[in-house]
Amino acid sequence: MLTKYNLKMPHAVFSGEDALDKITDILEKNQVKHLAIFTDKGIEGAGLLDFPMARVKASGVAYTVLDDLPAEPSYMEAQKLVDQCKEYGADFIMAVGGGSVQDTAKLASILMTDEYGIKELLDTPGRAKKCIKTLMIPTTAGTGSEATPNAIVAVPEKQLKVGIVNTNMIADYVILDAVMIKKLPRKIAAATGVDALAHAIECWTSNKANPFSDIFAMQALDMILNNIERACDDPEAMDAKNKMQIASFYAGVAITASGTTAVHALSYPLGGKYHIAHGVSNAILLAPVMRFNEPACRERLAEAYDRCLRGDAKTVEEKSAAVIAKLEGIVKHLDIPTSLTEFGVPKEDLEALVASGMEVTRLLVNNMREVTPDDARRIYQEVL
């Protein structure tokens, strides 16, 4: 556990009933003249953009919608939207979408006045400074991107996803309104919800865990474990959906104060090469990695059991095993695949997966139990 730690969060976060109404106040307070709205065509097609757009139009602010962003974008695809934002001359950015949309908007916020682009930030992420304020409105619960200084992009030449981390990307404003996730398809709600679950449990069991991150990671874990299934299964379970949205934000804050571990590290090659959705990749690896980690974080898992599950287990070993069984049960209940064969990943690619996964040292160093190439190989073999 860290002996020195800090906490960085968005300037202002609004949640609860009709939280979207704060859009008008935010635009007025910042004297916005040219608003860039980052989203994607799926969000527009689902009618979700209509909710915040009603407030934007009422404000009378000039705006442009930047929506040409695929799922799991490469850094080149994200760069196209950044360039469009520059050309428009925006003086404020609003992102309405999931992790990829928000991450691209965050990148734009630190690249508006610079000659270099996202490619340069892959190697030197700290060189950029915030140029323009941002408002994040997540449509999943979720990636937690609205709370983090991270932006994840695919790097095709490495067949890997890479995280760009720069504290200047932390959002200025966040709006968490459950109406934005009410009609989220179960498949997407499940995958993104398990992503938030992974954030919480990984940050709780990270080498960088500390008193700040523990507060948010544990609260997120409690809320997710006890609400994710109902939030995904019942379209009308607005209380559970609201709790998931808040928990996703909390888990994002935990990432900022601590950091994810080998679950995320080993999942990055799955998205980078095979374009498996980020949440699904994490779901596939969640239980196998936590079983591997269990000897090194048994006490932490038992503490999570006492707070979140509160069952009949007596010993530390029983409690730790029960938490991992719960994680596995949630993935199964939500009908998320647990094998890479369902995505056409051949066994012959094992060594390439191991090599790529071991490159993600930024996250592997957070893992309480050291992960060697042989360990990574055994974990991947378990899901192939």
Side-chain angles (χ1 to χ4, degrees):
M1 181 175 282
L2 291 180
T3 56
K4 294 182 180 180
Y5 35 89
N6 61 75
L7 183 65
K8 293 183 174 68
M9 296 177 66
H11 168 71
V13 183
F14 304 98
S15 188
E17 191 173 350
D18 297 324
L20 287 172
D21 288 346
K22 295 301 295 184
I23 291 174
T24 307
D25 293 341
I26 292 168
L27 296 178
E28 182 178 341
K29 179 180 179 180
N30 288 277
Q31 300 179 321
V32 177
K33 294 181 173 59
H34 299 95
L35 175 67
I37 302 169
F38 283 68
T39 190
D40 63 41
K41 289 181 170 58
I43 298 298
E44 290 177 290
L48 292 176
L49 189 62
D50 296 344
F51 295 112
M53 284 306 302
R55 279 77 171 183
V56 171
K57 291 174 180 177
S59 74
V61 170
Y63 65 86
T64 187
V65 176
L66 308 176
D67 61 4
D68 190 19
L69 191 72
E72 316 289 337
S74 68
Y75 70 88
M76 297 91 81
E77 290 165 331
Q79 184 67 53
K80 288 180 182 178
L81 262 69
V82 172
D83 292 341
Q84 289 173 21
C85 189
K86 283 184 176 183
E87 290 171 12
Y88 177 64
D91 58 6
F92 196 92
I93 289 172
M94 181 173 84
V96 182
S100 295
V101 167
Q102 294 180 76
D103 286 357
T104 304
K106 290 191 293 185
L107 287 165
S109 76
I110 61 171
L111 289 170
M112 286 290 288
T113 60
D114 300 304
E115 295 301 319
Y116 55 86
I118 299 173
K119 184 177 182 180
E120 287 70 31
L121 296 185
L122 295 173
D123 295 320
T124 54
R127 69 188 295 184
K129 306 298 180 186
K130 176 161 281 192
C131 314
I132 183 171
K133 289 184 177 181
T134 56
L135 162 61
M136 301 289 148
I137 305 176
T139 57
T140 64
T143 66
S145 178
E146 67 275 8
T148 75
N150 305 353
I152 311 300
V153 291
V155 182
E157 55 266 38
K158 292 186 176 182
Q159 296 187 331
L160 187 68
K161 282 188 173 182
V162 172
I164 297 169
V165 183
N166 183 320
T167 55
N168 290 286
M169 287 196 289
I170 293 178
D172 297 280
Y173 300 93
V174 174
I175 292 177
L176 306 174
D177 195 320
V179 71
M180 299 301 294
I181 64 169
K182 181 178 181 180
K183 295 183 179 180
L184 197 64
R186 184 177 186 269
K187 183 178 179 180
I188 298 175
T192 54
V194 173
D195 188 23
L197 174 58
H199 295 160
I201 194 72
E202 288 181 84
C203 288
W204 175 251
T205 57
S206 172
N207 273 328
K208 292 181 180 175
N210 61 76
F212 286 165
S213 65
D214 281 355
I215 291 172
F216 291 94
M218 180 54 74
Q219 182 63 22
L221 187 59
D222 193 2
M223 295 173 77
I224 295 168
L225 288 176
N226 292 295
N227 288 281
I228 186 171
E229 292 173 335
R230 192 161 62 91
C232 293
D233 292 345
D234 183 358
E236 300 302 320
M238 293 306 293
D239 179 61
K241 293 177 188 294
N242 183 57
K243 287 177 179 174
M244 281 297 298
Q245 196 173 45
I246 293 171
S248 172
F249 174 79
Y250 285 168
V253 174
I255 290 174
T256 301
S258 174
T260 54
T261 61
V263 177
H264 271 68
L266 298 183
S267 80
Y268 279 167
L270 304 181
K273 183 173 183 178
Y274 308 102
H275 307 293
I276 301 172
H278 178 64
V280 174
S281 298
N282 288 330
I284 291 170
L285 289 163
L286 183 57
V289 171
M290 293 311 300
R291 277 195 294 269
F292 169 80
N293 284 345
E294 193 271 344
C297 59
R298 186 172 295 158
E299 296 285 343
R300 298 286 284 176
L301 292 175
E303 190 175 345
Y305 176 90
D306 288 337
R307 164 70 182 272
C308 306
L309 300 183
R310 302 177 287 275
D312 298 326
K314 297 292 190 291
T315 68
V316 170
E317 291 80 5
E318 289 172 345
K319 292 175 180 179
S320 179
V323 171
I324 295 174
K326 179 67 173 177
L327 300 177
E328 202 161 23
I330 285 172
V331 173
K332 183 178 180 180
H333 175 91
L334 296 176
D335 302 312
I336 302 175
T338 55
S339 170
L340 295 179
T341 57
E342 297 186 41
F343 297 94
V345 180
K347 288 181 169 53
E348 300 80 60
D349 284 5
L350 176 61
E351 294 308 314
L353 281 173
V354 172
S356 293
M358 293 305 297
E359 283 187 30
V360 192
T361 54
R362 177 178 68 88
L363 302 183
L364 289 175
V365 296
N366 298 342
N367 213 60
M368 280 191 170
R369 184 178 178 185
E370 182 185 359
V371 180
T372 68
D374 283 342
D375 296 326
R377 186 175 295 108
R378 282 190 289 270
I379 292 169
Y380 281 130
Q381 283 175 327
E382 188 176 340
V383 297
L384 273 172

